[in-house]
Amino acid sequence: MKTGRSVGIASVVWAIPAFLMCDSGLAWADELADLRANQELLQRRVDQLAQVPPPPPGGGPGGPVLAGSFPRSFVIPGTEVSLRVGGQGVGSMIWYMKGQAVGGGLGGQGGFNETYMDGQGGTGNLPSIPLNTHTFSNTAAPVGFAHSRSSEWDFSGKQSRFYFDARTPSPYGEVKAYIEMDFGASNTNTILNNNAGVTNGYIPRFRQGYAALGGLLMGQTQGTFTDNDADPELLDFGGTQGSTGRSRAPQIRYTYPLPYGMSIAVAAENPSADFSGPFGAFATDTNGIPTASNCAAFTQSALTAATLTGGVLATTNAATNISNLCSGSSAFFNAAQNLAPDFIARWRIEQPWGHLQAGAVMRDLTLNDGEYLNKSWLGYGGALSGNFFTWGKDNLTWGVAAGDGTGQMISSMGTGAVATNFGGILAGQTFNGLDSRSFFTTNRRLYDSAVSGTPIFTWGARAGYQHWWTPQLRSTVDFSVHHSDVNTFYIQASGRSANNKELNLAHANLIWSPVAFVDLGVEGAWGHRVTVANTKGDAWTLQTSMKFRF
């Protein structure tokens, strides 16, 4: 093929000067000489191209890059694998006019808490809004006035992300590998002293990574109970409140397609038993500060005064030696255990008018302190969600979910799936007046026998509407709510403000796409927090961002 092409090119090139000589005479002599010189250069180049071997079928090193089997992908040369490299670059600015979660300085009244700075949504600042209380203590920092200094500015780029999506056909269906990362990790165990004065402490965060063979998927990806298509388009990286979760979870899932755009899926997901205790919520992976010492009821001097009665070590002055970590940390009293996966089933239908999804979840929730406590509860719940296209590209999104002991399966609100008195004052027992938790370490069998709990009934709802003003300009308004009925019998009065009863969240935005894959937007948001103690807090934010998706 290349030899014929060379002959054709040479024939045309040689014909040009012959034609010009016949038509133009001696006046073209100089130009003819130039053309002959150029023709000789062209002939040399044609001869060089003729020596290049043809590429292998399907492309290869040195061959052309072929389009892949799915949009914006390409075939890896020498293979049948289609690969897409994608992601987004994001820059955002958030102004917390009121309600930014404060840091640990000044007894929890000051400082700067970077963990919750990327939006007040369900996975952001909302569950930690400062409370509007006005109580003073003569011996400590003012309690509850954090709201008076909770205005902050934050500029961020850590929601930028990248991913690799590889797919290839097989006799068992499409084979897929997917890996995605961003820089939104909460590095809460690292103290950043003036770190922002030079750069920042952002570290990569693993978002998704899984392998799929046909309908079988193993790895970490969006939770099976989750329905992202039923959530509105927001600038708030924390998302809505009351959405089904968990956002991303390690799992084994099988999806079976059905006629008419329907499918069913069943999954076993990595569990994380979560509880509400006297000092706040905790889950299986809640840990204390690694360098802090454990709770110790006795010092050497106290042991000399202790007596052994009925096989139980008893003392009257032991409570004075209990550390602050023991007496006021939910992490220390974390006895959560995972005895079984979270089991989820889902049905879904997708049509040109939108989609519908229904899901159900069942969870095991166990407390086991390694000694005399071993109690389990069953959590279960369901959800229904979807979206409907109304006029043109306008979109109505909605969802409802409810359950008993569902916990994290409805977006986290700082409340667990089971309320328990473990770690606090237990009714009917006598305690040392210096510290009501002293019996936890002096008579563990008696203490554990009085531990109890009950699943927390919770529900959530959300609705949003997106209107397209022009093909490049759109707006979204939404409202979401999450409510939990926490039984106060299990939560002592001093810990009720550490557990949330209800969270409300609303957004309104305007997003402009001047060119393809670029979004510029501005968004206002209001958040409201109510605790089990009926203390309240509000947050107002103004956020803007620019995003380029590739």
Side-chain angles (χ1 to χ4, degrees):
M1 179 181 293
K2 288 193 174 181
T3 302
R5 183 179 62 183
S6 302
V7 172
I9 293 174
S11 300
V12 173
V13 173
W14 279 108
I16 291 174
F19 172 80
L20 292 175
M21 288 178 63
C22 295
D23 188 70
S24 304
L26 296 177
W28 293 86
D30 293 337
E31 289 81 353
L32 180 59
D34 292 337
L35 287 171
R36 284 176 174 171
N38 291 334
Q39 183 272 330
E40 291 177 2
L41 294 174
L42 285 172
Q43 184 61 52
R44 292 194 193 105
R45 180 58 179 156
V46 168
D47 293 339
Q48 292 173 355
L49 291 173
Q51 304 302 317
V52 177
V65 177
L66 304 180
S69 61
F70 60 100
R72 302 171 69 184
S73 67
F74 62 91
V75 175
I76 300 176
T79 73
E80 295 183 351
V81 177
S82 297
L83 175 67
R84 177 181 174 184
V85 180
Q88 64 183 31
V90 179
S92 73
M93 181 279 296
I94 303 177
W95 176 26
Y96 279 90
M97 294 176 280
K98 177 185 177 183
Q100 160 60 24
V102 295
L106 295 175
Q109 304 303 306
F112 179 79
N113 194 328
E114 190 175 342
T115 303
Y116 303 107
M117 287 303 292
D118 291 310
Q120 61 166 310
T123 59
N125 178 76
L126 186 64
S128 304
I129 293 175
L131 301 171
N132 301 326
T133 54
H134 302 274
T135 303
F136 286 93
S137 170
N138 293 328
T139 59
V143 176
F145 269 87
H147 71 282
S148 66
R149 63 173 313 283
S150 60
S151 176
E152 293 282 359
W153 286 83
D154 181 62
F155 294 76
S156 175
K158 65 183 181 181
Q159 294 300 324
S160 299
R161 70 182 68 153
F162 58 90
Y163 65 82
F164 301 93
D165 187 349
R167 309 182 195 180
T168 189
S170 83
Y172 304 99
E174 184 180 66
V175 182
K176 179 177 179 178
Y178 187 90
I179 300 173
E180 181 179 355
M181 298 186 73
D182 68 5
F183 303 89
S186 299
N187 198 11
T188 54
N189 287 330
T190 299
I191 299 176
L192 306 177
N193 290 318
N194 198 28
N195 199 43
V198 178
T199 174
N200 56 63
Y202 300 162
I203 56 178
R205 177 178 66 166
F206 178 68
R207 286 176 56 90
Q208 297 188 70
Y210 63 87
L213 174 62
L216 178 65
L217 180 149
M218 296 182 67
Q220 177 167 308
T221 186
Q222 305 292 340
T224 310
F225 204 50
T226 303
D227 185 2
N228 289 329
D229 295 329
D231 288 334
E233 183 182 21
L234 302 175
L235 306 186
D236 185 347
F237 297 123
T240 63
Q241 188 60 38
S243 299
T244 48
R246 290 172 287 165
S247 297
R248 292 169 295 277
Q251 60 189 271
I252 300 176
R253 179 199 302 171
Y254 187 79
T255 304
Y256 185 79
L258 297 171
Y260 309 108
M262 295 187 296
S263 66
I264 56 173
V266 292
E269 296 190 356
N270 188 56
S272 180
D274 50 328
F275 296 83
S276 285
F279 307 109
F282 61 90
T284 306
D285 58 353
T286 300
N287 293 294
I289 301 172
T291 56
S293 60
N294 289 331
C295 170
F298 306 105
T299 64
Q300 186 62 39
S301 60
L303 284 171
T304 60
T307 58
L308 195 64
T309 303
V312 177
L313 191 63
T315 184
T316 57
N317 66 344
T320 60
N321 301 302
I322 293 180
S323 69
N324 290 332
L325 176 65
C326 172
S327 61
S329 170
S330 60
F332 177 82
F333 290 104
N334 178 11
Q337 184 180 15
N338 298 328
L339 287 182
D342 292 339
F343 295 103
I344 301 168
R346 181 186 72 196
W347 170 88
R348 184 179 175 99
I349 181 171
E350 298 187 54
Q351 293 291 324
W353 46 259
H355 86 284
L356 286 174
Q357 178 173 306
V361 60
M362 182 175 295
R363 311 180 65 202
D364 172 83
L365 304 154
T366 297
L367 279 180
N368 187 336
D369 68 352
E371 295 201 26
Y372 309 107
L373 173 63
N374 190 356
K375 293 180 179 292
S376 293
W377 298 266
L378 182 65
Y380 58 90
L384 183 66
S385 57
N387 82 292
F388 301 118
F389 296 107
T390 56
W391 294 273
K393 296 170 65 176
D394 285 13
N395 189 21
L396 172 66
T397 58
W398 58 276
V400 293
D404 205 32
T406 51
Q408 298 167 347
M409 287 299 170
I410 303 178
S411 57
S412 178
M413 64 177 298
T415 301
V418 171
T420 178
N421 56 2
F422 183 64
I425 300 173
L426 302 187
Q429 295 192 20
T430 302
F431 297 94
N432 187 297
L434 297 177
D435 195 306
S436 59
R437 268 75 61 186
S438 59
F439 229 64
F440 177 81
T441 54
T442 57
N443 193 331
R444 190 64 166 270
R445 185 188 296 273
L446 180 61
Y447 186 94
D448 283 356
S449 67
V451 171
S452 60
T454 184
I456 299 173
F457 178 79
T458 184
W459 60 268
R462 65 196 191 277
Y465 190 81
Q466 183 179 70
H467 174 67
W468 290 75
W469 305 99
T470 71
Q472 293 79 35
L473 193 66
R474 59 196 182 274
S475 291
T476 296
V477 294
D478 87 304
F479 177 79
S480 55
V481 57
H482 187 184
H483 181 89
S484 290
D485 292 324
V486 182
N487 192 325
T488 56
F489 173 81
Y490 299 96
I491 309 297
Q492 62 195 48
S494 61
R496 292 172 187 171
S497 290
N499 292 277
N500 292 323
K501 179 171 68 174
E502 184 168 303
L503 299 174
N504 301 287
L505 184 60
H507 302 88
N509 63 38
L510 181 65
I511 301 175
W512 177 46
S513 298
V515 295
F517 307 115
V518 173
D519 296 330
L520 286 163
V522 61
E523 179 175 275
W526 166 76
H528 182 66
R529 173 192 179 196
V530 183
T531 70
V532 175
N534 288 320
T535 51
K536 300 176 176 64
D538 292 275
W540 297 89
T541 57
L542 184 65
Q543 180 171 359
T544 182
S545 70
M546 181 168 66
K547 177 191 302 182
F548 173 44
R549 294 168 280 110
F550 61 90

